[in-house]
Amino acid sequence: MSKYLLKPLAVASLLALAHPLAASAQDADAGEKVFRKCKACHMVGEDAKNRVGPELNNLLGRQAGTVPDFKYSKAMEAKGNDGLVWDDDTLSEYLENPKKYVKGTKMSFAGLRKETEIQDVIAYLKTFSEAAGTPAETESKAEEPAKNDEAAAAAEPVQTAAASDGDVLPKDAEVPDHGVFHLGRKALPDEVEAWNIDIRPDGSGLPVGRGTVAQGEVIYTETCAVCHGVFGEGEGRWPVLAGGQGTLEDDRPEKTIGSYWPYLSTVFDYVRRAMPFGNAHSLSDNGVYSVVAYLLYLNDVVTDEEFELSNENFASIKLPNEENFIADNRLEEPAYAAKEEPCMKECKPGPVEITMRARVLDVTPDSEDDSVGAGAIE
Amino acid sequence: MKNEETDNPRRNGEGLENPSRRTLLRGGVAAAGGAALAAGLAARGAGAAISQHADPLITDVQDWNRYPGDGVDARPYGLPSQYEKDVVRRDVPWLTADSKSSVNFTPLHELDGIITPNGLCFERHHGGIAEINPVDHRLMINGLVDNELVFTMEDLKRFPRENRVYFLECAANSGMEWRGSQLNGCQFTHGMVHNVMYTGIRVRDLLNEAGVKPEGKWVLAEGADPSLMTRSIPIEKMMDDCMVAFKMNGEALREEQGYPIRLVVPGWEGNMWIKWLRRFEVGDQPWQQREETSKYTDLLADGQARRFTWEMDVKSVITNPSPQAPITHGKGQTVITGLAWSGRGKIARVDVSLDGGRNWQEARIDGPSLDKSVHRFYFDFDWDGSELLIQSRAMDEQGFIQPSKDELRAARGTNSIYHNNGIQTWYIKQDGSAENVEVSS
């Protein structure tokens, strides 16, 4: 099977060699997909606003660090003042390794691994840049599409076939001796280690590491505050992380790490698992310890800025609301416990009155006001 | 925000935008309802029993009677008629901070029968839709097992398969209604539910393949999306009826439903049905993950919070008529229809009230009655054109009866967010339009 597939692979390589243009052709549609990686922080197009990162309209031809009202790193502003203007070449280099090209940039994105992704996303951004010569690019792409697609189509199956037929599970391998159906293969220690990152309240699963409140403040301010607020108060509808102690019986309870969450391990697990939103897994283990230490400080669980959280003292720290969690006892509620044959006639004393009408009569998305709200669902 | 008046609905549940600031609202529904009613009246003219003029739709030859349409190759994957283009999932953007960690709603008022079409099943993501090539997907089992294993999609499809129809309901369905009627449409009050036939394999077979050690009591299920969504599930449930599904309604899972595989946890809250499933870890205790501590726990009036409230309780809603689907035909023969479901088994009975719950009559359940699946009910009656307060009340095979919203509030307060299965009331006006209301008990 692999022999048979070698042929199109060779053709694909030849095509790529013979048509360097095809290999690096920019595809704005593909770029729109790549741009999803950027969307958590950047907006582009009509109504684009600065978010975690600056808006990207008219990026091509723009001097670096010059979008009004966006707070750039000093490094980016300096680069712009030194004459850095975003074009095909400068953007390509920046997107390949942002921190290398602009040392000290705020952009925490690690970079795009594939050259085609870089070219495609630039093509996409060009469609929002007046200064970019998009018509010419589109034409040159139009001349090549058939060959380009062929090359891609031919190359793809080869890779996947190699992956599933060759390296991972050879078809003619011996039948494994485990289980009932003898399906699957033994997981390798490195594989389990890569995915087995969950932490429990007893501290099991914690990596070796440490970080202080002060170190956490630096990371939090840089990475987390843009959504969660400088003091954990939550920007817009993003989750509030601090405060709210004593509000759980109020009309409007504020459920934060300090006021509601039962276990500190959940904070560590979740930050390492899924934060920062849009760039998960970018903090080191020590970085996570630091951020968690700072969150304890924001919630007054620790009060010393010198406090250091580590795998050694982690399990000894309790959150204040742990004891207020109880088991599911819904079935003890009167309506459930009764299990009576329901009333069918004259179940209410007299004619029924309307006591409340819908608050929101038309829930059609509202263009004027739909960026405001408090977040009913998280 | 700190100085809100007490009746400000802005923070219903975890918070709801104050509608008084949303100025367009009242005018909006009036216009929409009016258009629907006008269209209904026009249709009545043609369909009425006594007609003065011959209907040109009958007497004239129409374009579609004369000119051939598209051939078989024009629609390799068929889509609904152009006249159904408004039958779509919709969201309420101001409910959440970002569309990549948000929810939209199934248009229940446009559907019938018990199966939800794949493209209309509501979506709830925590890090956007992961796009995974199935040949790149792996499922790992690790932890307290004899053999830690890795499966490819090809491996998974070699286990014995089964087909089951189950509802999936988000625990926060109707969560905006705890403080009182809010959103005007059953798509928004009840649309975080769908009902699908899954094809997949038993989790039991997978766990047995790895060999669960005697001390293994819990399983952590984990997804491959950017939130690496996780939930702790007791081993008894996993061994009982949980599935790893790769097909929905006969075709591959949709990407937004977890392609290539998702966990099916029959009758239990939707958050546990991990999409883009990549790992089971067997352990001796629950992991207390974010989605089972800070979220999906039910805060009670006394400040305590219930956790591990997994089952979705008995519930029903009238889908037609409802605010998005007014009665347009005037008085006379009328069909009331809706859905009922319970995470604790089959639905035994559904009652309908036309007078706000004072008197009840048994509705007719039609279509398959399956365990932990939605049931379709109908109530056919002769409407005299007077105002109605319509409700439905479901009872499951274990004898649990759908409670009133007041009963739920008396037991829990108004800050629970999750598990609101209270009886819904629609106020039907003389013109056939409908509104979400609450009534005296």
Side-chain angles (χ1 to χ4, degrees):
Chain A
M1 185 161 181
S2 57
K3 239 185 215 172
Y4 178 74
L5 279 171
L6 266 174
K7 205 170 161 190
L9 176 63
V11 174
S13 333
L14 280 175
L15 273 174
L17 286 173
H19 299 274
L21 228 180
S24 65
Q26 296 183 330
D27 180 344
D29 288 342
E32 185 176 4
K33 243 179 170 178
V34 178
F35 189 71
R36 291 178 194 173
K37 296 181 181 169
C38 322
K39 261 180 161 170
C41 300
H42 289 286
M43 292 178 77
V44 71
E46 210 178 327
D47 304 326
K49 286 180 261 195
N50 294 329
R51 296 184 65 194
V52 180
E55 56 97 354
L56 297 179
N57 288 330
N58 291 313
L59 176 67
L60 280 290
R62 179 201 288 173
Q63 183 184 325
T66 56
V67 169
D69 301 326
F70 185 77
K71 203 164 168 291
Y72 286 95
S73 62
K74 290 203 173 71
M76 186 60 84
E77 277 176 358
K79 273 275 188 184
N81 290 335
D82 289 350
L84 173 59
V85 172
W86 296 121
D87 60 21
D88 275 281
D89 293 339
T90 56
L91 257 186
S92 298
E93 208 169 327
Y94 181 57
L95 291 178
E96 190 188 333
N97 191 339
K99 288 208 153 53
K100 187 175 163 202
Y101 191 61
V102 182
K103 202 168 170 5
T105 179
K106 272 170 74 176
M107 187 161 94
S108 54
F109 188 66
L112 290 167
R113 279 180 233 163
K114 295 182 192 157
E115 176 64 19
T116 52
E117 287 190 334
I118 293 174
Q119 293 313 316
D120 291 345
V121 82
I122 292 174
Y124 176 66
L125 291 171
K126 279 182 183 174
T127 64
F128 300 97
S129 289
E130 283 168 23
T134 37
E137 294 289 348
T138 315
E139 272 172 38
S140 77
K141 189 196 158 214
E143 289 166 18
E144 298 291 345
K147 284 170 188 164
N148 196 20
D149 288 353
E150 259 172 45
E156 281 289 318
V158 174
Q159 284 181 346
T160 55
S164 64
D165 287 351
D167 303 333
V168 177
L169 189 67
K171 274 215 159 64
D172 52 356
E174 283 176 35
V175 173
D177 58 4
H178 64 262
V180 179
F181 301 99
H182 315 298
L183 293 171
R185 64 166 174 86
K186 303 256 169 71
L188 303 175
D190 284 353
E191 295 172 331
V192 174
E193 193 190 331
W195 280 6
N196 188 22
I197 61 167
D198 37 86
I199 317 291
R200 289 197 319 206
D202 60 8
S204 68
L206 278 172
V208 173
R210 54 193 63 246
T212 65
V213 170
Q215 289 164 337
E217 181 175 10
V218 175
I219 298 172
Y220 181 91
T221 307
E222 180 89 350
T223 315
C224 320
V226 64
C227 294
H228 294 294
V230 174
F231 303 105
E233 75 279 16
E235 293 284 341
R237 289 157 296 176
W238 296 101
V240 180
L241 298 181
Q245 273 92 337
T247 67
L248 294 184
E249 295 171 54
D250 293 358
D251 278 353
R252 317 284 167 186
E254 197 138 82
K255 298 194 285 187
T256 70
I257 292 168
S259 72
Y260 191 69
W261 294 38
Y263 303 110
L264 186 63
S265 59
T266 313
V267 184
F268 191 103
D269 178 284
Y270 187 70
V271 170
R272 190 162 69 146
R273 175 177 300 281
M275 291 289 115
F277 190 68
N279 195 19
H281 316 292
S282 57
L283 296 177
S284 67
D285 288 340
N286 285 345
V288 178
Y289 276 106
S290 310
V291 167
V292 174
Y294 186 61
L295 287 169
L296 285 172
Y297 180 78
L298 283 181
N299 278 286
D300 301 324
V301 178
V302 301
T303 50
D304 180 4
E305 281 184 53
E306 302 300 311
F307 172 78
E308 183 179 70
L309 184 68
S310 73
N311 55 299
E312 283 143 26
N313 65 3
F314 192 96
S316 69
I317 295 172
K318 303 290 177 199
L319 294 183
N321 196 46
E322 178 180 342
E323 64 185 26
N324 281 323
F325 282 82
I326 59 172
D328 182 2
N329 56 1
R330 278 176 288 173
L331 297 186
E332 294 165 21
E333 292 175 2
Y336 288 115
K339 277 196 180 183
E340 281 168 1
E341 187 64 20
C343 172
M344 296 299 282
K345 294 288 171 206
E346 308 284 321
C347 307
K348 295 183 181 182
V352 173
E353 304 289 331
I354 292 173
T355 56
M356 185 183 271
R357 320 254 317 231
R359 296 275 188 172
V360 183
L361 283 176
D362 184 351
V363 287
T364 305
D366 173 9
S367 57
E368 178 197 328
D369 200 22
D370 69 1
S371 62
V372 194
I377 300 163
E378 284 168 8
Chain B
M1 194 182 291
K2 304 289 181 209
N3 299 321
E4 282 170 337
E5 295 169 29
T6 49
D7 64 345
N8 185 333
R10 174 172 179 151
R11 286 217 150 218
N12 174 39
E14 289 249 305
L16 178 61
E17 175 61 9
N18 181 349
S20 69
R21 295 165 59 195
R22 304 170 57 75
T23 48
L24 82 161
L25 304 177
R26 275 163 205 282
V29 79
L37 288 175
L41 287 174
R44 270 183 89 195
I50 301 165
S51 182
Q52 301 298 319
H53 305 285
D55 185 350
L57 285 166
I58 296 171
T59 55
D60 295 355
V61 176
Q62 306 297 321
D63 283 355
W64 60 87
N65 306 143
R66 192 189 304 264
Y67 307 113
D70 286 343
V72 290
D73 290 337
R75 305 171 188 189
Y77 191 101
L79 293 174
S81 158
Q82 59 181 305
Y83 305 107
E84 300 291 324
K85 65 177 171 20
D86 294 334
V87 181
V88 290
R89 298 180 286 222
R90 289 174 66 193
D91 70 343
V92 180
W94 38 273
L95 285 180
T96 53
D98 189 288
S99 68
K100 284 180 283 298
S101 181
S102 190
V103 63
N104 61 18
F105 301 89
T106 306
L108 298 179
H109 61 294
E110 298 281 7
L111 305 177
D112 215 322
I114 67 163
I115 295 294
T116 314
N118 289 341
L120 295 177
C121 292
F122 82 93
E123 300 169 74
R124 172 73 173 109
H125 314 308
H126 296 77
I129 300 168
E131 294 183 12
I132 302 173
N133 184 335
V135 301
D136 295 337
H137 194 69
R138 303 287 182 269
L139 176 66
M140 179 188 288
I141 300 179
N142 72 300
L144 296 175
V145 290
D146 298 332
N147 290 297
E148 297 186 317
L149 298 177
V150 172
F151 302 98
T152 62
M153 286 299 296
E154 193 177 45
D155 297 332
L156 296 177
K157 289 183 176 177
R158 295 170 69 190
F159 284 90
R161 294 178 208 172
E162 56 184 29
N163 296 289
R164 295 285 186 278
V165 178
Y166 292 120
F167 77 83
L168 180 162
E169 184 184 17
C170 176
N173 199 20
S174 314
M176 286 83 81
E177 305 285 309
W178 272 104
R179 288 173 193 285
S181 39
Q182 295 279 348
L183 301 173
N184 216 31
C186 74
Q187 179 167 17
F188 304 104
T189 56
H190 289 76
M192 284 196 276
V193 65
H194 57 65
N195 204 58
V196 160
M197 183 173 77
Y198 297 95
T199 304
I201 61 178
R202 290 181 290 259
V203 170
R204 178 174 54 222
D205 286 344
L206 285 168
L207 292 175
N208 286 341
E209 197 71 354
V212 175
K213 294 187 169 162
E215 60 271 34
K217 298 295 177 205
W218 290 81
V219 177
L220 184 77
E222 179 180 80
D225 63 314
S227 75
L228 297 184
M229 173 61 65
T230 39
R231 284 296 298 258
S232 306
I233 303 169
I235 195 109
E236 294 82 10
K237 178 68 175 174
M238 291 293 256
M239 289 293 195
D240 178 21
D241 58 0
C242 291
M243 298 167 68
V244 170
F246 40 81
K247 302 279 195 205
M248 58 190 295
N249 295 329
E251 64 178 359
L253 288 184
R254 292 292 168 91
E255 281 183 323
E256 59 269 34
Q257 304 298 340
Y259 180 87
I261 48 173
R262 89 172 305 162
L263 182 61
V264 172
V265 190
W268 289 19
E269 58 190 23
N271 181 259
M272 307 176 82
W273 297 46
I274 303 295
K275 300 190 283 191
W276 311 290
L277 179 72
R278 80 169 194 185
R279 190 165 70 99
F280 289 140
E281 180 175 353
V282 180
D284 59 354
Q285 294 168 36
W287 282 261
Q288 310 288 0
Q289 294 282 288
R290 178 193 189 249
E291 308 290 320
E292 55 205 17
T293 55
S294 76
K295 309 292 169 192
Y296 300 95
T297 47
D298 313 343
L299 181 58
L300 304 174
D302 64 1
Q304 292 194 309
R306 291 176 179 149
R307 75 176 117 193
F308 298 147
T309 48
W310 299 307
E311 290 92 350
M312 298 309 298
D313 279 319
V314 60
K315 186 166 178 177
S316 70
V317 66
I318 291 172
T319 56
N320 305 79
S322 63
Q324 296 160 290
I327 299 175
T328 55
H329 54 58
K331 64 183 182 182
Q333 179 65 22
T334 300
V335 176
I336 286 178
T337 185
L339 295 169
W341 62 94
S342 169
R344 302 183 193 271
K346 290 179 188 171
I347 291 297
R349 196 174 102 195
V350 180
D351 299 325
V352 166
S353 173
L354 303 177
D355 59 4
R358 191 155 183 253
N359 295 287
W360 296 89
Q361 298 172 74
E362 190 172 340
R364 173 172 59 89
I365 292 175
D366 190 82
S369 170
L370 301 168
D371 183 44
K372 304 181 183 74
S373 159
V374 304
H375 292 54
R376 170 64 60 176
F377 67 86
Y378 298 95
F379 183 77
D380 308 288
F381 75 113
D382 187 355
W383 183 38
D384 63 5
S386 61
E387 291 185 347
L388 306 173
L389 292 166
I390 59 173
Q391 300 182 334
S392 63
R393 176 180 70 190
M395 190 195 303
D396 69 21
E397 63 181 350
Q398 293 199 32
F400 293 112
I401 299 155
Q402 185 179 5
S404 71
K405 290 183 179 176
D406 284 342
E407 284 175 314
L408 284 176
R409 290 185 193 118
R412 304 179 194 176
T414 55
N415 290 326
S416 274
I417 301 175
Y418 308 106
H419 295 285
N420 182 351
N421 61 325
I423 290 172
Q424 173 68 43
T425 311
W426 304 124
Y427 168 38
I428 308 295
K429 298 165 204 172
Q430 288 178 337
D431 65 2
S433 63
E435 189 181 326
N436 178 8
V437 300
E438 296 222 5
V439 294
S440 57
S441 45

